[in-house]
Amino acid sequence: MVAGVTVHYGDVCALEDVSLSVGPGRICGLLGANGSGKSTLFTAIMGLTAADAGSVRILDCDPATARRRGTVGYVPQSEQVDWAFPVRVIDVVMMGRYGRMGPTRRPRRADREAVDAALERTGLADLAHRQIGALSGGQRKRAFVARGIAQGARVFLLDEPFAGVDRGSEATIIEVLAAMRDEGHTLLVSTHDLAGVGRLCDEAALLQRRLLAHGPPGEVLAPERLMEAFGIAPLPEGRPA
C-alpha cells in the first residue's frame, strides 16, 4: 500500500520512511498517540497529501485512479466534516456513486439500489432523509461507512470510527467491518482503543512518525512497544474508560 513514504509540513516531519501493506480480507488497526501521523498517513494514501518521498499503490493503482474508480473508501474524523451543510443522509451515501454516474450526476436504478442496500446494511434506512448534522456521532460515522459500501470500494480507510460513538453504533460498525473483511475487503482502521484491537483486528501497525511495529496485535502491543509509542504500560482486557 505505501512504500518509504515521507511527509513534511514545512520543517516538521509528519511521516518518515513509512512502509505498510495490508492484504485483502484483513483488518489492520493503526495505532499511535495524537500527532503520531495516523491522519497524515490516511490522506497520503488517498493522495490528498503530497509525499516528499516514497510511493502509494492501491490495488496496483495510483491514489487518483483509485479514487476515480471508487476503489478506496474513506471515513474521515468528525472534525473534518461540516455537519451544518444542508445535506441528507441519503445524499451523503449517494455521493459514493458519483464516479459511476454520467456528467449529469443523475442516479439510475442501480445507484438507488446500491444506496438503499448500504443504508440497510448500516442500520440507517429509517434515517435516510434526515439532515446529516441531526444524527448522533455514531450514526454520522455509519453514514460514511455506507457511502464507501455504496461506491463498491475494495479498500477502506477509517480514521477514528469509534471516537464519540454510542455503544449501539460501535457494535453495528464492528459487525459491518467484520462482514466486509470476510467478503475480502481490505480495512485500515485508526483507533485509540488498544484493548479492543485484538478483538477487531487481524493485525496492527504502531506509528510514531515512523512505523515502530506491524504484525499480530499481541506482538505489536508488547509492553516495550507501548512504552516507546505512548509511554504507558499495557491495558487490561475490556474497553478503557
Side-chain angles (χ1 to χ4, degrees):
M1 187 176 291
V2 300
V5 167
T6 296
V7 174
H8 287 86
Y9 296 121
D11 295 331
V12 177
C13 182
L15 294 174
E16 180 182 353
D17 193 25
V18 173
S19 296
L20 177 65
S21 180
V22 182
R26 305 284 288 180
I27 300 177
C28 179
L30 183 62
L31 314 174
N34 290 333
S36 61
K38 299 189 300 297
S39 293
T40 297
L41 180 58
F42 279 131
T43 56
I45 293 172
M46 291 291 295
L48 305 176
T49 296
D52 300 302
S55 62
V56 177
R57 303 292 292 177
I58 302 172
L59 298 183
D60 294 326
C61 296
D62 61 85
T65 301
R67 292 201 313 273
R68 186 171 63 252
R69 294 178 177 175
T71 304
V72 58
Y74 179 43
V75 178
Q77 290 191 29
S78 295
E79 55 266 30
Q80 296 174 293
V81 180
D82 180 7
W83 300 112
F85 192 75
V87 63
R88 301 171 302 168
V89 174
I90 194 170
D91 300 322
V92 170
V93 180
M94 185 63 75
M95 291 174 186
R97 301 293 299 177
Y98 281 3
R100 300 174 182 271
M101 298 179 191
T104 63
R105 295 288 190 261
R106 181 167 295 176
R108 297 162 297 181
R109 179 178 178 179
D111 301 313
R112 291 190 291 271
E113 289 178 348
V115 168
D116 289 345
L119 289 168
E120 187 69 35
R121 185 167 186 176
T122 53
L124 294 174
D126 293 340
L127 302 175
H129 296 280
R130 187 170 297 184
Q131 195 268 338
I132 189 71
L135 301 186
S136 70
Q139 290 167 341
R140 293 173 181 178
K141 293 294 180 73
R142 281 191 272 154
F144 278 89
V145 172
R147 182 183 68 175
I149 293 173
Q151 78 182 43
R154 301 301 300 169
V155 176
F156 279 77
L157 311 176
L158 299 100
D159 199 353
E160 299 292 349
F162 306 116
V165 308
D166 57 88
R167 292 297 182 101
S169 285
E170 179 182 15
T172 298
I173 293 171
I174 289 173
E175 181 179 352
V176 170
L177 298 187
M180 291 165 60
R181 182 260 318 279
D182 294 343
E183 293 165 5
H185 294 80
T186 299
L187 301 106
L188 183 60
V189 182
S190 170
T191 179
H192 285 291
D193 185 4
L194 303 184
V197 169
R199 296 191 297 272
L200 172 66
C201 302
D202 305 292
E203 57 194 77
L206 187 58
L207 191 66
Q208 183 55 48
R209 191 183 67 183
R210 298 175 293 105
L211 188 66
L212 301 181
H214 177 212
E219 295 180 9
V220 173
L221 296 176
E224 62 273 16
R225 296 295 190 189
L226 293 179
M227 286 297 296
E228 184 178 5
F230 297 96
I232 61 173
L235 292 170
E237 288 296 320
R239 185 179 175 87

